[in-house]
Amino acid sequence: IENRGHLGFKKDLMENKDGLDYEHSVMVIAALAKFHATSFCFRKHGEVEMVKNYPALKDGLSFPDVSEETIKKLGKLFKTYPKYEKFSQLFLGYTDKEKLILNSNSELFGVLNHGYFCRENLLFKYKSNHDSILSCSDVIFQDLSRCHYGSCVLDLLQFIFTSVDLQVRNNFMADFVCS
């Protein structure tokens, strides 16, 4: 909501890249986890019924269309990493039309979602290391106009498939999803 440019936050430094590198991706996922955990604790410990108390959070919620091919690829990915296979149903719950059910476990996994969690809505702060090498030190989210209540998986998947470099995503997908 507040302009943070004067505090050193700016768009990522990878202007010529198709997506974020591993360092930026891990920083974003950690910040997203804190964002989700805060709303989860608010709901659970404060015994707040999010949608009942904040009805605007259910407006504008739409689920992406996910192709059968994508679902199969995700299934293969989880089988490649047996230690993560137990988490696969969080991502691969099927409906009659074989689309993802991303809001089915909202009692267990329901959180405040950003709603438009992509590269354009991320600002980073950098610190200078030796030899003028910049490293990412903090990240904040912009544009909370599409916030909604739903599964914690929604923002994570949106980020991974819209903002992470393809090679990084291919190499670290299971780590990102299960972290």
Side-chain angles (χ1 to χ4, degrees):
I1 297 172
E2 179 184 340
N3 182 346
R4 296 290 179 134
H6 66 285
L7 297 175
F9 287 95
K10 54 187 162 194
K11 296 282 184 188
D12 63 77
L13 297 177
M14 293 164 285
E15 296 170 11
N16 298 326
K17 300 276 186 178
D18 289 332
L20 297 174
D21 63 6
Y22 180 79
E23 177 188 10
H24 284 80
S25 298
V26 168
M27 175 79 64
V28 170
I29 291 170
L32 180 61
K34 289 177 189 175
F35 178 75
H36 286 165
T38 301
S39 71
F40 182 82
C41 291
F42 174 74
R43 179 175 64 89
K44 283 295 193 181
H45 296 296
E47 297 179 6
V48 174
E49 292 184 43
M50 297 292 276
V51 175
K52 183 179 176 184
N53 290 12
Y54 307 99
L57 291 177
K58 68 179 177 182
D59 295 341
L61 177 58
S62 62
F63 296 101
D65 288 327
V66 180
S67 70
E68 185 176 336
E69 179 183 345
T70 300
I71 291 170
K72 286 179 182 177
K73 284 181 181 178
L74 286 170
K76 285 181 185 177
L77 179 69
F78 277 109
K79 287 181 180 159
T80 304
Y81 299 93
K83 68 181 182 178
Y84 297 132
E85 192 169 4
K86 63 184 176 184
F87 301 108
S88 66
Q89 285 309 305
L90 291 173
F91 296 88
L92 302 176
Y94 295 96
T95 65
D96 294 333
K97 297 178 183 173
E98 295 198 5
K99 292 183 179 178
L100 290 175
I101 300 174
L102 297 174
N103 207 23
S104 62
N105 293 320
S106 62
E107 180 55 36
L108 294 173
F109 301 104
V111 296
L112 181 64
N113 278 269
H114 182 277
Y116 190 45
F117 201 68
C118 57
R119 191 172 174 184
E120 295 83 41
N121 287 324
L122 302 171
L123 293 177
F124 296 90
K125 189 180 231 182
Y126 296 91
K127 64 180 178 183
S128 180
N129 291 334
H130 56 72
D131 299 328
S132 299
I133 297 173
L134 294 177
S135 63
C136 186
S137 63
D138 201 2
V139 62
I140 58 174
F141 312 148
Q142 299 185 107
D143 187 7
L144 298 172
S145 66
R146 296 186 188 176
C147 278
H148 60 84
Y149 177 74
S151 172
C152 57
V153 175
L154 292 168
D155 281 340
L156 180 61
L157 288 177
Q158 187 175 42
F159 170 70
I160 289 171
F161 285 102
T162 65
S163 304
V164 177
D165 179 76
L166 179 63
Q167 191 66 33
V168 173
R169 182 173 61 231
N170 287 341
N171 290 335
F172 300 102
M173 172 69 104
D175 295 329
F176 291 157
V177 168
C178 298
S179 64

